Amino acid sequence: MIAILRPGTTKAQTEPLIHWLEQQGLKVHVSVGDVHTVLGLVGNTEKIDMDMIQCLDIVESVTRVSDPFKTCNRKFHPDDSVVTVGENGPQFGGGHFSIIAGPCSVETPEQILYVAQKVKESGANLLRGGAFKPRTSPYDFQGHGEKGLKMLLEAKAATGLPIVTEIMDIRTLDLFEEVDVIQVGARNTQNFDLLKELGKTQKPILLKRGLAGTIKELLMSAEYIMANGNENVILCERGIRTYESTYTRNTLDISAVPVLKELTHLPIIVDPSHATGKSKLVPSMALAATAAGADGLMIEVHNDPAHAWSDGPQSMTPESFRDLCERIRKIREVIEK
Ligand code: PEP
Ligand code: MN
């Protein structure tokens, strides 16, 4: 349920209503906009008498929200949410656009440092690299685990780039203390126990769309994190499984960007690398996603794609990434209001 307050309603006037609603067992999500304050009510709102609230002088309107996702719903929070990495780090959402780049897997200290320096020079704002790798085959490289995280942290210390890396098992959470953004990969989007525990942290969470996940399922997964107290969620469209799998690894759903913009206040970024599986397709999809209004991109970049330990065919070289960054900047200039 949402209650929109009349313009000019003061905090002192609002507090008794919030207090009363909380006494009814509801969680009240307050969003203060330029004109209106919106109270988003989460919990069992069935027993709340809507007419009674509607009669209050400070209330302009009351409506029930039938969508199953509440806290991430734009109706609860009409303005875009901005997710800030660290104290003064890169931002996503509300007009802020950031680029995450780096190899699929962290391979060696030299490799991750080299790629970090290169992508930073080109304008990337965050460094990616997998230490815990979800691989389809148990015989493929599984990532260096804790040692890989250490290599990433060294690259962070040397370049100043904040780091993004995937968690697969909540038992490793302690190892992620100095990780700036924790990624939940497409294979874990509906690992609800993992999402609940990440909801108890305050780290930004990069939540990828499931392999064959619907937009509603993605939002419900975000809701799991937010319902547990962490509102720093960045959504990521990374392509979905369709009947096409010969020419593209997945099918990039660019329409998910404007659809999600309407449904939620959370930032949404696009990963054209996993979406297409082919480096030659990455630039056009990255530009299209930028033009469609994405709040950022995640792009795989490798020093030597032909010899990458994972996802070489979809990895860009540092040189082609640099050219792409310039073109992304031009698209941003065109679409910025
Ligand atoms: C990744 O980004 O490293 C990854 C494994 O991607 P996805 O979960 O989208 O397949
Ligand atoms: Mn990859």
Side-chain angles (χ1 to χ4, degrees):
M1 187 185 275
I2 55 167
I4 300 178
L5 306 185
R6 286 192 197 284
T9 303
T10 63
K11 207 167 165 228
Q13 287 173 304
T14 319
E15 266 162 12
L17 174 59
I18 294 177
H19 184 66
W20 181 80
L21 290 163
E22 283 173 347
Q23 277 181 332
Q24 307 308 303
L26 300 178
K27 245 174 109 179
V28 184
H29 199 275
V30 185
S31 168
V32 183
D34 286 343
V35 182
H36 286 104
T37 293
V38 177
L39 304 184
L41 313 180
V42 191
N44 183 6
T45 53
E46 291 301 310
K47 59 180 183 184
I48 303 290
D49 183 349
M50 274 176 73
D51 293 338
M52 204 187 86
I53 299 177
Q54 179 73 76
C55 286
L56 299 172
D57 285 347
I58 60 168
V59 174
E60 188 167 290
S61 66
V62 186
T63 28
R64 287 203 186 275
V65 175
S66 53
D67 304 319
F69 48 93
K70 312 284 181 194
T71 317
C72 69
N73 203 310
R74 192 178 280 282
K75 290 175 190 147
F76 274 43
H77 189 291
D79 296 333
D80 288 349
S81 280
V82 179
V83 175
T84 305
V85 178
E87 289 282 303
N88 289 310
Q91 295 184 304
F92 295 88
H96 302 279
F97 182 93
S98 295
I99 301 177
I100 305 168
C104 180
S105 300
V106 179
E107 298 172 6
T108 64
E110 296 74 27
Q111 172 245 13
I112 191 69
L113 178 60
Y114 177 79
V115 178
Q117 285 164 337
K118 283 292 178 190
V119 298
K120 186 181 176 183
E121 272 168 35
S122 301
N125 311 95
L126 297 101
L127 173 67
R128 67 150 283 144
F132 295 95
K133 293 301 304 172
R135 304 304 301 279
T136 302
S137 166
Y139 308 115
D140 286 340
F141 176 55
Q142 304 286 303
H144 286 304
E146 190 172 352
K147 276 198 293 189
L149 286 182
K150 230 179 120 243
M151 295 177 206
L152 260 180
L153 288 171
E154 281 164 14
K156 170 182 168 175
T159 60
L161 282 180
I163 54 172
V164 183
T165 194
E166 178 166 354
I167 192 166
M168 285 169 56
D169 185 334
I170 197 61
R171 288 171 297 185
T172 63
L173 183 61
D174 286 350
L175 302 175
F176 285 70
E177 204 165 331
E178 291 172 71
V179 169
D180 301 279
V181 177
I182 302 182
Q183 176 173 325
V184 175
R187 290 150 191 83
N188 269 313
T189 314
Q190 288 193 311
N191 182 339
F192 300 120
D193 286 338
L194 179 64
L195 301 178
K196 282 184 205 166
E197 290 304 315
L198 293 173
K200 294 177 192 161
T201 75
Q202 282 305 307
K203 287 253 187 220
I205 307 296
L206 178 64
L207 178 65
K208 288 198 154 192
R209 184 173 179 179
L211 295 179
T214 64
I215 287 173
K216 195 194 264 180
E217 283 165 344
L218 176 61
L219 290 172
M220 293 314 294
S221 293
E223 194 73 17
Y224 262 96
I225 300 169
M226 298 176 87
N228 282 279
N230 185 357
E231 304 203 346
N232 294 311
V233 180
I234 304 159
L235 303 173
C236 181
E237 162 62 39
R238 45 77 73 205
I240 43 172
R241 187 67 64 84
T242 66
Y243 45 80
E244 178 55 65
S245 60
T246 309
Y247 297 105
T248 52
R249 181 176 179 181
N250 291 292
T251 298
L252 179 58
D253 180 8
I254 295 225
S255 66
V257 176
V259 171
L260 283 163
K261 287 267 160 210
E262 195 176 324
L263 295 174
T264 179
H265 53 88
L266 294 175
I268 161 97
I269 71 165
V270 169
D271 168 352
S273 307
H274 291 89
T276 59
K278 292 186 178 158
S279 58
K280 67 176 178 192
L281 301 178
V282 170
S284 49
M285 293 301 95
L287 296 171
T290 307
D295 299 301
L297 295 165
M298 176 185 252
I299 296 175
E300 284 188 340
V301 178
H302 194 280
N303 49 307
D304 181 7
H307 298 104
W309 298 10
S310 60
D311 283 350
Q314 69 194 32
S315 300
M316 301 188 79
T317 60
E319 295 68 37
S320 50
F321 175 70
R322 189 190 55 222
D323 293 346
L324 174 58
C325 283
E326 271 172 34
R327 296 169 73 201
I328 292 167
R329 273 193 286 278
K330 287 187 187 145
I331 296 273
R332 290 280 305 154
E333 277 166 25
V334 171
I335 62 167
E336 262 169 9
K337 283 180 213 129

